[in-house]
Amino acid sequence: MLNDRPFMVGVAARLPELSPRDYHLMKKAGIGWLRFGDFGFDLNAFLQGEPQPENFRRAKERVKELRDLGFELMGITPGPREMAKSPLEVGSERYFEAYDEISRFFAQEYEGLIEWWQVANELDIWIFRDTLNMEESVRFLQVGIRSMKAAVPSLRVGINITLFPSRPGEVEGNTDAHEGLALAEGIYGDSSCPVDYAGFDSYPGTWREGGPESWLEYLPKFYDLVGKPIIIQEFGYASAGGIMTEEEIERGCYPCECKRWKFSWKGEHSERVQAEYLVESFHTFRGLPYVLGATYYNWRDAESCWQCKESGCPAETAWGLINSRGEPKPSYESLRSLGYADADFLLEK
């Protein structure tokens, strides 16, 4: 059984940026899981049969260090955007054969270090599936799941979906094609696909309408659809950014463009509201027996937005439990107040 284990309290983080102080703060807040995908993997070197670069070796050493410190890890395998950096024809037989080889490599390379894996990331969103269509995206995920499980059968392997429930036009990329449903039906509707859990990502109150109360609408319906234990692979609330005007909403202004949000909870994006959002969300997750755990996105505020590359853009900068200077925010203190930390699990200062 997957759900006869302690609740998984996690955070998304960039491994190269973490310091001993970060580890200590995480342990104090009860964070026992880290979710990441920055392995320093050189796809073209792999395809050409060449050794992996020094960054890959350093990433593996960091993984060993984290395991020695008592952290559990959720690894994210390369996705279509990474595959696009190769000379392979997208969607060709060789393309999928290569992904089979890559998936087996990750499973075997990290055997005994990483037990839980997420294959790629949010392929129901166009920016992450790159040029793959939905049918190819389903195949991509099935190849990754089957290959990892074939290489190391003991692994726990799944995917994540974010466009659910399907409300065309509400979220950028949520169209009449109902991408989230298409992906869910392609993976969880195939009894031959050995998927272990259902990853669910959502940002009600920021990227879509709603707030913490939305989880009680989303999660029971999602569980009915997938029939697998759920891990919240990403959730969070932006602690900065104003609210769009009606005119900006009507013309479809994207947050990176107008530096404001279409949606909010309690009418604002602030550090105070972010902290309240986290507490209410965790209370809801813990009340649902089929939810195995939740990963907050993310650990640290960013200096600049990864989408538009601009500093001061709220779209991808203000999600952290600590600020860009490494100082705990109210959301960090609210997580700590939930009491997940075990005194025996804390690092020495």
Side-chain angles (χ1 to χ4, degrees):
M1 293 289 292
L2 292 180
N3 56 358
D4 59 349
R5 57 181 300 121
F7 194 78
M8 303 158 70
V9 179
V11 68
R14 284 186 50 78
L15 261 61
E17 298 173 356
L18 296 179
S19 68
R21 181 173 182 273
D22 290 309
Y23 305 151
H24 180 71
L25 288 171
M26 289 175 181
K27 295 290 185 69
K28 286 180 67 177
I31 295 168
W33 287 77
L34 297 179
R35 173 179 173 268
F36 64 95
D38 44 342
F39 289 96
F41 178 67
D42 187 323
L43 185 146
N44 285 313
F46 177 82
L47 294 177
Q48 294 164 16
E50 298 174 357
Q52 285 295 301
E54 178 64 16
N55 284 347
F56 185 83
R57 186 196 66 79
R58 285 200 295 265
K60 189 169 182 179
E61 289 302 313
R62 178 59 59 91
V63 165
K64 292 177 181 177
E65 175 186 359
L66 290 167
R67 289 307 309 265
D68 288 343
L69 291 170
F71 286 102
E72 297 284 350
L73 305 173
M74 174 71 74
I76 306 172
T77 65
R81 292 202 304 174
E82 289 76 23
M83 291 290 289
K85 298 173 184 177
S86 78
L88 299 173
E89 179 186 351
V90 174
S92 66
E93 286 303 312
R94 177 57 192 140
Y95 176 89
F96 290 112
E97 288 172 1
Y99 197 62
D100 167 81
E101 295 163 6
I102 290 166
S103 301
R104 290 173 183 270
F105 171 76
F106 271 90
Q108 293 167 343
E109 185 74 12
Y110 283 93
E111 184 176 2
L113 293 172
I114 303 178
E115 178 187 0
W116 294 74
W117 288 92
Q118 174 192 299
V119 176
N121 183 63
E122 294 181 349
L123 295 200
D124 49 340
I125 294 184
W126 62 270
I127 195 172
F128 293 119
R129 67 176 175 272
D130 201 57
T131 59
L132 293 183
N133 60 34
M134 291 310 300
E135 182 179 353
E136 291 168 335
S137 296
V138 168
R139 184 178 178 186
F140 188 96
L141 295 172
Q142 288 186 335
V143 167
I145 294 166
R146 288 176 171 141
S147 300
M148 297 196 89
K149 295 285 286 187
V152 183
S154 63
L155 296 181
R156 304 299 192 183
V157 183
I159 68 166
N160 62 334
I161 288 172
T162 188
L163 295 181
F164 184 89
S166 186
R167 292 173 180 156
E170 182 190 41
V171 183
E172 178 74 13
N174 195 182
T175 71
D176 288 320
H178 302 290
E179 291 89 342
L181 285 172
L183 218 59
E185 291 169 353
I187 298 300
Y188 304 106
D190 183 345
S191 60
S192 71
C193 188
V195 61
D196 292 300
Y197 69 87
F200 186 84
D201 301 6
S202 199
Y203 297 91
T206 303
W207 285 113
R208 68 186 313 167
E209 189 175 10
E213 69 280 1
S214 301
W215 302 120
L216 289 177
E217 174 196 354
Y218 298 174
L219 295 174
K221 293 178 181 177
F222 189 66
Y223 182 64
D224 287 343
L225 175 67
V226 300
K228 296 286 182 179
I230 294 171
I231 299 175
I232 311 299
Q233 292 286 47
E234 290 183 27
F235 85 102
Y237 191 82
S239 66
I243 309 302
M244 292 184 192
T245 65
E246 288 298 324
E247 179 184 1
E248 288 170 332
I249 292 174
E250 289 177 5
R251 67 179 174 86
C253 185
Y254 193 68
C256 285
E257 176 189 354
C258 54
K259 311 307 181 192
R260 285 186 286 277
W261 294 105
K262 180 180 179 181
F263 305 112
S264 68
W265 182 59
K266 295 190 173 182
E268 65 182 79
H269 284 276
S270 65
E271 292 188 357
R272 177 186 65 83
V273 173
Q274 182 188 56
E276 294 174 5
Y277 185 100
L278 183 149
V279 170
E280 291 202 23
S281 295
F282 264 104
H283 284 328
T284 299
F285 301 149
R286 290 306 308 266
L288 299 172
Y290 47 80
V291 175
L292 301 183
T295 300
Y296 189 82
Y297 183 88
N298 59 7
W299 176 237
R300 181 188 291 264
D301 284 350
E303 294 283 356
S304 61
C305 173
W306 67 261
Q307 293 195 53
C308 68
K309 314 302 181 186
E310 295 182 18
S311 61
C313 175
E316 302 291 354
T317 58
W319 297 90
L321 296 174
I322 65 174
N323 63 28
S324 59
R325 299 181 300 279
E327 301 163 342
K329 294 163 61 176
S331 55
Y332 171 86
E333 299 299 340
S334 69
L335 176 58
R336 187 178 176 186
S337 74
L338 294 176
Y340 288 114
D342 181 336
D344 295 331
F345 189 53
L346 299 181
L347 292 174
E348 294 297 327
K349 291 184 179 180

